Amino acid sequence: MKKNKKTMRKLFLLALILTSTFTNAQNSEKAKTLLDKVYNKVKSYDNIFVDFKYTLNNTEVNINQETRGNVTLSGDKYVLNSFGAQQLFDGSKVYTIVPDNEEVTIESKTDDESISPSKMLTFYKEGHTYQWDILQNVKGRKIQFVKLIPIDTNSEIATILLGIDIETDHISKLIYTGKDATKTTIIVNSFKTNQSLSKTLFTFDENKYKEEGYYIIRN
């Protein structure tokens, strides 16, 4: 009788483990399917304009920063306005323009960028495992969260929560939690697509800034 009980207990535990594994696999696949929909939607647009709120918080070292910004994306090219500066990427070089310092820094694009503006809406495509997370109602809109965990164990990011508006398949919120307890939150206030853009939007006019007295730094 005792042997039968032990056998039944083992079978029950095995069933729980198998059920849990199966459920996790299903949730992971469900998360991947949703992210694929978001990725394909983003890639279908000629250009995207995002107005956002950015918050950086770390209670351990008493850091709490908040700002508004916006970014226009077209392929790999982008123009980002944030923290009183503008950053432009023309497909080859990154130009950081700081009016307060009357300074422009010109750098070649590097492949070891973290989540750069050009990757802001597509970074999740590779390098992470996925988990289905909570569903929230935010101002009448259903936001489904997916948790991303970097595969690279040396990554400074512990987890990323990606909030997706399930009606539009657009990213609504990103929450990055670092291994040092720093939390970065990006909330999308406005998401516009296929706007009429100036032909020179992603072109840097060096002469213009030289004439205005800007100091040009080349790295």
Side-chain angles (χ1 to χ4, degrees):
M1 189 69 176
K2 287 183 178 180
K3 286 184 179 180
N4 286 340
K5 284 184 177 180
K6 286 183 179 179
T7 302
M8 289 297 290
R9 193 179 297 117
K10 287 180 180 178
L11 289 172
F12 178 70
L13 289 172
L14 180 60
L16 280 178
I17 292 169
L18 291 174
T19 301
S20 175
T21 302
F22 179 70
T23 301
N24 288 338
Q26 278 189 317
N27 285 341
S28 178
E29 189 59 35
K30 192 161 58 168
K32 184 181 183 303
T33 298
L34 178 58
L35 292 177
D36 284 343
K37 285 177 67 178
V38 176
Y39 180 83
N40 291 332
K41 194 78 172 284
V42 166
K43 286 296 183 180
S44 72
Y45 299 127
D46 290 332
N47 59 70
I48 297 170
F49 171 83
V50 178
D51 179 88
F52 60 87
K53 176 183 173 183
Y54 174 97
T55 304
L56 180 69
N57 182 267
N58 187 321
T59 54
E60 292 182 4
V61 291
N62 199 29
I63 293 177
N64 190 20
Q65 298 176 342
E66 186 176 303
T67 189
R68 288 281 296 268
N70 62 71
V71 61
T72 301
L73 305 156
S74 182
D76 286 337
K77 298 177 182 179
Y78 65 81
V79 175
L80 169 69
N81 296 292
S82 185
F83 288 104
Q86 182 180 86
Q87 191 174 82
L88 183 154
F89 176 55
D90 62 5
S92 175
K93 295 184 183 298
V94 177
Y95 305 86
T96 304
I97 304 155
V98 185
D100 285 350
N101 299 341
E102 294 189 333
E103 188 176 275
V104 177
T105 303
I106 303 174
E107 301 173 280
S108 295
K109 179 181 181 295
T110 58
D111 293 328
D112 61 347
E113 286 182 292
S114 54
I115 301 175
S116 68
S118 58
K119 297 177 183 176
M120 179 181 172
L121 302 175
T122 58
F123 71 91
Y124 50 82
K125 186 64 178 173
E126 55 188 31
H128 305 87
T129 60
Y130 311 124
Q131 294 178 10
W132 196 254
D133 211 88
I134 62 171
L135 177 68
Q136 283 188 344
N137 190 308
V138 180
K139 296 180 180 178
R141 305 192 74 86
K142 292 182 179 178
I143 308 300
Q144 176 62 57
F145 282 86
V146 173
K147 181 182 284 187
L148 285 74
I149 301 174
I151 294 172
D152 182 4
T153 55
N154 293 320
S155 172
E156 294 179 1
I157 297 174
T159 62
I160 302 169
L161 276 173
L162 194 60
I164 298 159
D165 186 323
I166 60 175
E167 183 180 335
T168 62
D169 292 331
H170 291 163
I171 294 172
S172 174
K173 190 173 186 178
L174 297 89
I175 304 172
Y176 307 92
T177 302
K179 291 179 179 177
D180 63 351
T182 299
K183 182 176 285 188
T184 304
T185 303
I186 298 174
I187 299 174
V188 174
N189 297 316
S190 176
F191 192 106
K192 299 177 182 178
T193 62
N194 297 338
Q195 302 292 290
S196 178
L197 304 180
S198 165
K199 292 181 180 179
T200 60
L201 180 63
F202 303 109
T203 302
F204 177 72
D205 186 349
E206 185 170 338
N207 288 331
K208 170 194 167 186
Y209 288 98
K210 282 183 176 178
E211 289 172 2
E212 292 179 3
Y214 276 65
Y215 183 59
I216 310 294
I217 302 169
R218 298 180 188 275
N219 289 339

